[in-house]
Amino acid sequence: MAMRVLSVASEAAPLVKTGGLADVAGALPAALAAQGVEVTTFVPGYPAVLAKLGPKLGKSKAVHTWDSLLGEKARLLAGKLGGHPLLVLDAPALFGREGGPYSDASGRDWDDNWRRFAAFARAAADIAGGAVKGRAFDLVHAHDWQAGLVPAYLRLAPLAGGRNVPSVMTIHNMAFQGYYPAGIFPRLGLPPSAWTVDGVESYGGVGFLKAGMQLADAITTVSPTYAGEIRSVEFGMGLEGLVLARSNRVHGILNGIDTAEWNPASDPRLAANFTAAKPGARAKNKRAIEQEFGLEPGDGPLFVVISRLTWQKGMDVLLEVLDHLVGIGGRLALLGSGDAEIERGFQAAAARHPGRIGVRIGYDEALSHLLQGGGDAILVPSRFEPCGLTQLYGLAYGCIPVVSRTGGLADTVIDANPAALAAGVATGVQMNAVSYGALAMAVSRACELHARPEDWKRLQKNAMKADFSWGASGAAYAALYRQLLEEQE
Ligand code: ADP
Ligand code: GLC
């Protein structure tokens, strides 16, 4: 029989997405089905999720109910995610509110996020323990801090008479740890003995991600380089000691991309489809971007950005480099949202350089595809990047990644240095730790390469041929799951 895994995530594409976590959680079921693993995805029932699944799901009979899930009534609904099993936690008091998954419409985090995601984790531990008739699981895979308490409940407060299953904790971003004051501890429903550094305590408070990292049977993160980086003070964000202490349990498994969603030959969101062998139609997408962003038409290098506009992503540094980028003949089309100050900075740059810089503040899935399909190069100057997906989509679409050498960016892009160009293996441009000088130089190098059509064509071909589908990574997760099940026997 296939191994059955419960994947616990606070977002999963296409139901609800704020970033790469959703792409990964949404793609795992298919990636693992290919390895003989049946993944059931478990997500909170935000209004958007319930609406997307349709009125039928909302009215359908619950497969399980809780009279008091951390004090709230909740029901469990069953549906499908891309043909794979899906479970949804319908708990209106916790998730039935307008806004984003973690914040209200103005972007302010909900005050009770600790309680919302503790309840979500408690429910996951119950499900994994066998609370739902007819649904048994062999292993739980928890993603990010929102699911961080799952291993804690499984280990320290398991469902009475429930099944003991191993757990995997995946860190998609160490910068978000779900750290809360000690005062919440008595309300989590964990035994007093959980309040130790070997349990959920972290720097005098409760650490959700820390708890997961401490108590899971294995820790993974989304690239080999980031798995190494988080052992250091610079990237570990206070948890580097824990990573080091458990280093024989830490694995770096690179994210893949969903090649059904992201295939330039068939992508319906492009103005024109194209392939690695015949990329000529990219020009039509470039014209469509120019129109959409009010840019002067031209064959010169068109840079694109699709990003959260934050410090992590180096967007403050990019702002400083824009005059240089335009000065050497580049143009920029940017799609993103995030810090208000950075948003204003890009809008000001667009006003300063009409026709050369176009900015769209917001979130637009379709436009993100068009930008990859028509942009010449995608800028990803992150200060840290656990994996990064936009550079992978860029590679697949021949939109050359210009990235910093960190985390998954270091693992997926081959810099066009003379040796790599001579060997014919380069796929992009890398820079050292992001700074004005490093980014300005990287932008200049990209423009110089673009001005040499033969080199650029070669780069594009190599990029589009690089294989970042889920095959190898799906196999790596399946192997890890199997190893944990064997250890348990
Ligand atoms: P992170 O999860 O840190 O934001 P990733 O590169 O892993 O970074 O994933 C970001 C995902 O969100 C990608 O699928 C990217 O295309 C998408 N994305 C980011 N910003 C936008 C936006 N403004 N509009 C549409 N898609 C976006
Ligand atoms: C996080 C990281 C990003 C990664 C994504 C999916 O949001 O910031 O680098 O690609 O998770 O794992």
Short mmCIF file of all heavy atoms in Angstrom, two decimals, residues 347-399:
data_model
loop_
_atom_site.label_atom_id
_atom_site.label_comp_id
_atom_site.label_asym_id
_atom_site.label_seq_id
_atom_site.Cartn_x
_atom_site.Cartn_y
_atom_site.Cartn_z
N GLN A 347 7.53 53.67 -6.99
CA GLN A 347 6.62 54.56 -7.72
C GLN A 347 7.32 55.88 -8.07
O GLN A 347 7.15 56.41 -9.16
CB GLN A 347 5.35 54.80 -6.89
CG GLN A 347 4.39 53.63 -7.05
CD GLN A 347 3.31 53.58 -5.98
OE1 GLN A 347 3.53 54.04 -4.86
NE2 GLN A 347 2.16 53.02 -6.32
N ALA A 348 8.15 56.35 -7.15
CA ALA A 348 8.89 57.59 -7.42
C ALA A 348 9.88 57.37 -8.56
O ALA A 348 10.04 58.24 -9.43
CB ALA A 348 9.62 58.04 -6.15
N ALA A 349 10.52 56.20 -8.58
CA ALA A 349 11.49 55.91 -9.66
C ALA A 349 10.78 55.86 -11.00
O ALA A 349 11.30 56.32 -12.02
CB ALA A 349 12.20 54.59 -9.36
N ALA A 350 9.56 55.30 -11.02
CA ALA A 350 8.80 55.23 -12.27
C ALA A 350 8.45 56.63 -12.75
O ALA A 350 8.49 56.93 -13.95
CB ALA A 350 7.53 54.39 -12.07
N ALA A 351 8.13 57.52 -11.79
CA ALA A 351 7.78 58.90 -12.16
C ALA A 351 9.03 59.63 -12.68
O ALA A 351 8.94 60.45 -13.60
CB ALA A 351 7.22 59.63 -10.94
N ARG A 352 10.18 59.28 -12.14
CA ARG A 352 11.44 59.91 -12.55
C ARG A 352 11.88 59.44 -13.93
O ARG A 352 12.54 60.15 -14.67
CB ARG A 352 12.51 59.48 -11.52
CG ARG A 352 13.43 60.56 -11.11
CD ARG A 352 14.31 60.24 -9.91
NE ARG A 352 14.94 58.95 -9.84
CZ ARG A 352 14.74 58.06 -8.85
NH1 ARG A 352 13.87 58.32 -7.89
NH2 ARG A 352 15.38 56.92 -8.84
N HIS A 353 11.54 58.20 -14.27
CA HIS A 353 11.99 57.61 -15.54
C HIS A 353 10.80 57.10 -16.35
O HIS A 353 10.68 55.89 -16.60
CB HIS A 353 12.95 56.44 -15.26
CG HIS A 353 14.20 56.81 -14.56
ND1 HIS A 353 15.21 57.55 -15.13
CD2 HIS A 353 14.62 56.55 -13.29
CE1 HIS A 353 16.20 57.72 -14.27
NE2 HIS A 353 15.87 57.14 -13.14
N PRO A 354 9.93 58.01 -16.80
CA PRO A 354 8.76 57.53 -17.55
C PRO A 354 9.20 56.80 -18.82
O PRO A 354 10.16 57.20 -19.47
CB PRO A 354 8.00 58.83 -17.88
CG PRO A 354 8.99 59.93 -17.71
CD PRO A 354 10.00 59.47 -16.70
N GLY A 355 8.53 55.71 -19.11
CA GLY A 355 8.86 54.95 -20.31
C GLY A 355 10.02 53.99 -20.10
O GLY A 355 10.28 53.12 -20.93
N ARG A 356 10.75 54.17 -19.00
CA ARG A 356 11.90 53.28 -18.75
C ARG A 356 11.65 52.37 -17.56
O ARG A 356 12.19 51.27 -17.50
CB ARG A 356 13.18 54.12 -18.48
CG ARG A 356 13.46 55.21 -19.49
CD ARG A 356 13.85 54.66 -20.84
NE ARG A 356 15.07 53.89 -20.78
CZ ARG A 356 15.60 53.26 -21.83
NH1 ARG A 356 14.97 53.30 -23.01
NH2 ARG A 356 16.71 52.57 -21.72
N ILE A 357 10.89 52.86 -16.60
CA ILE A 357 10.55 52.04 -15.44
C ILE A 357 9.04 52.02 -15.28
O ILE A 357 8.41 53.08 -15.22
CB ILE A 357 11.20 52.59 -14.15
CG1 ILE A 357 12.73 52.50 -14.25
CG2 ILE A 357 10.71 51.81 -12.91
CD1 ILE A 357 13.48 52.97 -13.01
N GLY A 358 8.47 50.82 -15.25
CA GLY A 358 7.03 50.67 -15.04
C GLY A 358 6.81 49.84 -13.78
O GLY A 358 7.50 48.84 -13.56
N VAL A 359 5.87 50.27 -12.95
CA VAL A 359 5.67 49.62 -11.65
C VAL A 359 4.21 49.24 -11.47
O VAL A 359 3.31 50.04 -11.74
CB VAL A 359 6.12 50.57 -10.51
CG1 VAL A 359 5.68 50.05 -9.16
CG2 VAL A 359 7.63 50.76 -10.56
N ARG A 360 3.98 48.03 -11.05
CA ARG A 360 2.62 47.60 -10.69
C ARG A 360 2.65 47.10 -9.26
O ARG A 360 3.26 46.08 -8.97
CB ARG A 360 2.18 46.48 -11.64
CG ARG A 360 0.79 45.93 -11.37
CD ARG A 360 -0.31 46.87 -11.83
NE ARG A 360 -0.22 47.16 -13.26
CZ ARG A 360 -0.75 46.40 -14.21
NH1 ARG A 360 -1.44 45.32 -13.88
NH2 ARG A 360 -0.63 46.71 -15.47
N ILE A 361 2.04 47.88 -8.35
CA ILE A 361 1.97 47.46 -6.96
C ILE A 361 0.75 46.57 -6.80
O ILE A 361 -0.37 46.99 -7.09
CB ILE A 361 1.87 48.68 -6.01
CG1 ILE A 361 3.08 49.61 -6.17
CG2 ILE A 361 1.73 48.22 -4.55
CD1 ILE A 361 4.43 49.00 -5.84
N GLY A 362 0.97 45.34 -6.35
CA GLY A 362 -0.16 44.43 -6.19
C GLY A 362 0.29 43.01 -6.42
O GLY A 362 1.49 42.72 -6.53
N TYR A 363 -0.68 42.13 -6.48
CA TYR A 363 -0.41 40.71 -6.68
C TYR A 363 -1.20 40.25 -7.88
O TYR A 363 -2.40 40.45 -7.96
CB TYR A 363 -0.83 39.93 -5.42
CG TYR A 363 -0.31 38.53 -5.44
CD1 TYR A 363 0.92 38.21 -4.87
CD2 TYR A 363 -1.03 37.53 -6.09
CE1 TYR A 363 1.42 36.93 -4.93
CE2 TYR A 363 -0.53 36.24 -6.16
CZ TYR A 363 0.69 35.95 -5.58
OH TYR A 363 1.19 34.68 -5.66
N ASP A 364 -0.53 39.69 -8.88
CA ASP A 364 -1.21 39.33 -10.12
C ASP A 364 -0.54 38.10 -10.74
O ASP A 364 0.52 38.20 -11.37
CB ASP A 364 -1.14 40.54 -11.08
CG ASP A 364 -1.99 40.35 -12.32
OD1 ASP A 364 -2.19 39.19 -12.75
OD2 ASP A 364 -2.45 41.37 -12.86
N GLU A 365 -1.17 36.96 -10.51
CA GLU A 365 -0.59 35.69 -10.96
C GLU A 365 -0.36 35.67 -12.48
O GLU A 365 0.72 35.32 -12.96
CB GLU A 365 -1.53 34.55 -10.54
CG GLU A 365 -0.99 33.16 -10.68
CD GLU A 365 0.08 32.80 -9.64
OE1 GLU A 365 0.02 33.29 -8.50
OE2 GLU A 365 0.98 32.03 -10.01
N ALA A 366 -1.37 36.11 -13.25
CA ALA A 366 -1.26 36.05 -14.71
C ALA A 366 -0.12 36.94 -15.20
O ALA A 366 0.69 36.54 -16.05
CB ALA A 366 -2.58 36.46 -15.34
N LEU A 367 -0.05 38.15 -14.65
CA LEU A 367 1.00 39.08 -15.08
C LEU A 367 2.39 38.54 -14.72
O LEU A 367 3.36 38.77 -15.45
CB LEU A 367 0.76 40.44 -14.40
CG LEU A 367 1.54 41.64 -14.92
CD1 LEU A 367 1.37 41.81 -16.42
CD2 LEU A 367 1.09 42.92 -14.20
N SER A 368 2.49 37.78 -13.62
CA SER A 368 3.79 37.23 -13.26
C SER A 368 4.27 36.25 -14.33
O SER A 368 5.47 36.17 -14.63
CB SER A 368 3.74 36.56 -11.87
OG SER A 368 3.12 35.29 -11.92
N HIS A 369 3.35 35.53 -14.94
CA HIS A 369 3.74 34.61 -16.02
C HIS A 369 4.21 35.39 -17.26
O HIS A 369 5.21 35.05 -17.89
CB HIS A 369 2.57 33.70 -16.39
CG HIS A 369 2.29 32.62 -15.37
ND1 HIS A 369 2.33 31.28 -15.67
CD2 HIS A 369 1.96 32.70 -14.06
CE1 HIS A 369 2.04 30.57 -14.58
NE2 HIS A 369 1.79 31.41 -13.59
N LEU A 370 3.46 36.44 -17.60
CA LEU A 370 3.82 37.23 -18.78
C LEU A 370 5.22 37.85 -18.62
O LEU A 370 6.02 37.87 -19.55
CB LEU A 370 2.78 38.33 -19.02
CG LEU A 370 3.05 39.23 -20.22
CD1 LEU A 370 2.94 38.44 -21.53
CD2 LEU A 370 2.08 40.42 -20.26
N LEU A 371 5.50 38.34 -17.41
CA LEU A 371 6.81 38.95 -17.16
C LEU A 371 7.94 37.94 -17.38
O LEU A 371 8.98 38.26 -17.96
CB LEU A 371 6.87 39.53 -15.74
CG LEU A 371 6.07 40.82 -15.53
CD1 LEU A 371 5.93 41.13 -14.04
CD2 LEU A 371 6.74 41.99 -16.25
N GLN A 372 7.72 36.71 -16.93
CA GLN A 372 8.77 35.67 -17.13
C GLN A 372 8.89 35.33 -18.61
O GLN A 372 9.98 35.03 -19.11
CB GLN A 372 8.41 34.39 -16.36
CG GLN A 372 8.30 34.55 -14.85
CD GLN A 372 9.65 34.53 -14.14
OE1 GLN A 372 10.69 34.72 -14.76
NE2 GLN A 372 9.61 34.34 -12.83
N GLY A 373 7.76 35.39 -19.32
CA GLY A 373 7.75 34.99 -20.72
C GLY A 373 8.27 36.05 -21.68
O GLY A 373 8.56 35.75 -22.84
N GLY A 374 8.40 37.30 -21.22
CA GLY A 374 8.83 38.35 -22.13
C GLY A 374 9.99 39.18 -21.63
O GLY A 374 10.65 39.88 -22.40
N GLY A 375 10.28 39.11 -20.32
CA GLY A 375 11.41 39.85 -19.78
C GLY A 375 12.71 39.21 -20.25
O GLY A 375 12.75 38.02 -20.55
N ASP A 376 13.77 40.02 -20.35
CA ASP A 376 15.07 39.44 -20.70
C ASP A 376 15.76 38.86 -19.47
O ASP A 376 16.43 37.84 -19.57
CB ASP A 376 15.96 40.52 -21.34
CG ASP A 376 15.42 40.94 -22.69
OD1 ASP A 376 15.25 40.05 -23.55
OD2 ASP A 376 15.13 42.14 -22.88
N ALA A 377 15.63 39.55 -18.34
CA ALA A 377 16.34 39.09 -17.14
C ALA A 377 15.50 39.39 -15.92
O ALA A 377 14.86 40.45 -15.84
CB ALA A 377 17.69 39.78 -17.03
N ILE A 378 15.50 38.47 -14.96
CA ILE A 378 14.76 38.71 -13.71
C ILE A 378 15.76 38.98 -12.58
O ILE A 378 16.73 38.23 -12.40
CB ILE A 378 13.80 37.54 -13.37
CG1 ILE A 378 13.07 37.84 -12.05
CG2 ILE A 378 14.49 36.17 -13.31
CD1 ILE A 378 11.81 37.02 -11.85
N LEU A 379 15.52 40.06 -11.86
CA LEU A 379 16.43 40.47 -10.78
C LEU A 379 15.96 39.87 -9.47
O LEU A 379 14.81 40.06 -9.06
CB LEU A 379 16.43 42.00 -10.66
CG LEU A 379 16.99 42.76 -11.86
CD1 LEU A 379 16.67 44.25 -11.74
CD2 LEU A 379 18.50 42.56 -11.94
N VAL A 380 16.86 39.12 -8.80
CA VAL A 380 16.56 38.54 -7.49
C VAL A 380 17.75 38.80 -6.56
O VAL A 380 18.53 37.91 -6.25
CB VAL A 380 16.28 37.02 -7.57
CG1 VAL A 380 15.63 36.53 -6.27
CG2 VAL A 380 15.38 36.66 -8.75
N PRO A 381 17.89 40.06 -6.10
CA PRO A 381 19.07 40.42 -5.30
C PRO A 381 18.85 40.19 -3.80
O PRO A 381 19.04 41.09 -2.99
CB PRO A 381 19.24 41.91 -5.61
CG PRO A 381 17.83 42.40 -5.86
CD PRO A 381 17.04 41.23 -6.41
N SER A 382 18.45 38.98 -3.42
CA SER A 382 18.05 38.71 -2.03
C SER A 382 19.25 38.73 -1.07
O SER A 382 20.34 38.31 -1.41
CB SER A 382 17.39 37.34 -1.93
OG SER A 382 16.34 37.23 -2.85
N ARG A 383 18.98 39.20 0.15
CA ARG A 383 20.01 39.12 1.20
C ARG A 383 20.12 37.68 1.71
O ARG A 383 21.18 37.21 2.04
CB ARG A 383 19.66 40.06 2.34
CG ARG A 383 19.88 41.52 1.98
CD ARG A 383 19.78 42.38 3.23
NE ARG A 383 20.27 43.72 2.96
CZ ARG A 383 19.55 44.70 2.44
NH1 ARG A 383 18.30 44.51 2.11
NH2 ARG A 383 20.08 45.90 2.24
N PHE A 384 18.98 36.99 1.80
CA PHE A 384 18.98 35.55 2.02
C PHE A 384 17.80 34.98 1.26
O PHE A 384 16.82 35.69 1.01
CB PHE A 384 18.92 35.20 3.52
CG PHE A 384 17.67 35.64 4.23
CD1 PHE A 384 16.60 34.77 4.37
CD2 PHE A 384 17.56 36.92 4.77
CE1 PHE A 384 15.44 35.18 5.02
CE2 PHE A 384 16.41 37.33 5.42
CZ PHE A 384 15.34 36.46 5.55
N GLU A 385 17.92 33.74 0.83
CA GLU A 385 16.85 33.14 0.03
C GLU A 385 16.86 31.63 0.25
O GLU A 385 17.66 30.91 -0.33
CB GLU A 385 17.05 33.47 -1.45
CG GLU A 385 15.82 33.22 -2.31
CD GLU A 385 14.64 34.10 -1.88
OE1 GLU A 385 14.63 35.31 -2.20
OE2 GLU A 385 13.74 33.56 -1.21
N PRO A 386 15.97 31.13 1.11
CA PRO A 386 15.95 29.69 1.40
C PRO A 386 15.97 28.84 0.13
O PRO A 386 16.78 27.93 0.01
CB PRO A 386 14.65 29.53 2.19
CG PRO A 386 14.52 30.86 2.92
CD PRO A 386 15.01 31.89 1.93
N CYS A 387 15.09 29.12 -0.82
CA CYS A 387 15.22 28.50 -2.14
C CYS A 387 15.02 29.57 -3.20
O CYS A 387 15.91 29.88 -3.96
CB CYS A 387 14.21 27.36 -2.35
SG CYS A 387 14.37 26.66 -4.00
N GLY A 388 13.82 30.15 -3.22
CA GLY A 388 13.50 31.08 -4.30
C GLY A 388 12.88 30.29 -5.44
O GLY A 388 13.39 29.23 -5.83
N LEU A 389 11.77 30.77 -5.94
CA LEU A 389 11.13 30.10 -7.06
C LEU A 389 11.16 30.96 -8.32
O LEU A 389 11.19 30.44 -9.42
CB LEU A 389 9.67 29.77 -6.71
CG LEU A 389 9.53 28.71 -5.61
CD1 LEU A 389 8.09 28.60 -5.15
CD2 LEU A 389 10.03 27.37 -6.11
N THR A 390 11.20 32.29 -8.14
CA THR A 390 11.08 33.13 -9.34
C THR A 390 12.30 32.95 -10.26
O THR A 390 12.16 33.05 -11.47
CB THR A 390 10.89 34.62 -8.99
OG1 THR A 390 12.00 35.07 -8.23
CG2 THR A 390 9.60 34.84 -8.22
N GLN A 391 13.47 32.65 -9.69
CA GLN A 391 14.62 32.40 -10.57
C GLN A 391 14.45 31.08 -11.31
O GLN A 391 14.94 30.93 -12.44
CB GLN A 391 15.94 32.45 -9.79
CG GLN A 391 16.39 31.17 -9.11
CD GLN A 391 15.64 30.89 -7.80
OE1 GLN A 391 14.66 31.55 -7.48
NE2 GLN A 391 16.10 29.91 -7.05
N LEU A 392 13.73 30.13 -10.70
CA LEU A 392 13.50 28.84 -11.38
C LEU A 392 12.50 29.02 -12.52
O LEU A 392 12.67 28.47 -13.61
CB LEU A 392 12.98 27.79 -10.39
CG LEU A 392 13.91 27.44 -9.22
CD1 LEU A 392 13.29 26.35 -8.35
CD2 LEU A 392 15.27 26.99 -9.72
N TYR A 393 11.45 29.83 -12.27
CA TYR A 393 10.50 30.12 -13.35
C TYR A 393 11.23 30.89 -14.46
O TYR A 393 10.99 30.67 -15.64
CB TYR A 393 9.31 30.93 -12.83
CG TYR A 393 8.53 30.23 -11.73
CD1 TYR A 393 7.99 30.94 -10.67
CD2 TYR A 393 8.34 28.85 -11.75
CE1 TYR A 393 7.27 30.31 -9.65
CE2 TYR A 393 7.64 28.21 -10.74
CZ TYR A 393 7.10 28.94 -9.69
OH TYR A 393 6.41 28.31 -8.69
N GLY A 394 12.12 31.80 -14.05
CA GLY A 394 12.90 32.57 -15.02
C GLY A 394 13.72 31.64 -15.90
O GLY A 394 13.71 31.76 -17.14
N LEU A 395 14.39 30.67 -15.29
CA LEU A 395 15.19 29.71 -16.07
C LEU A 395 14.29 28.99 -17.08
O LEU A 395 14.62 28.91 -18.27
CB LEU A 395 15.86 28.69 -15.14
CG LEU A 395 17.00 29.20 -14.26
CD1 LEU A 395 17.37 28.17 -13.19
CD2 LEU A 395 18.23 29.56 -15.10
N ALA A 396 13.16 28.49 -16.60
CA ALA A 396 12.27 27.71 -17.47
C ALA A 396 11.75 28.54 -18.64
O ALA A 396 11.47 28.00 -19.72
CB ALA A 396 11.10 27.16 -16.66
N TYR A 397 11.63 29.87 -18.43
CA TYR A 397 11.05 30.75 -19.46
C TYR A 397 12.11 31.54 -20.22
O TYR A 397 11.78 32.42 -21.01
CB TYR A 397 10.04 31.71 -18.81
CG TYR A 397 8.69 31.07 -18.54
CD1 TYR A 397 8.59 29.91 -17.77
CD2 TYR A 397 7.52 31.61 -19.06
CE1 TYR A 397 7.37 29.32 -17.52
CE2 TYR A 397 6.29 31.02 -18.82
CZ TYR A 397 6.21 29.88 -18.05
OH TYR A 397 5.00 29.29 -17.81
N GLY A 398 13.38 31.25 -19.95
CA GLY A 398 14.43 31.97 -20.66
C GLY A 398 14.55 33.42 -20.25
O GLY A 398 15.04 34.26 -21.01
N CYS A 399 14.10 33.75 -19.06
CA CYS A 399 14.24 35.10 -18.50
C CYS A 399 15.41 34.99 -17.52
O CYS A 399 15.28 34.47 -16.42
CB CYS A 399 12.93 35.48 -17.78
SG CYS A 399 12.91 37.14 -17.14
#
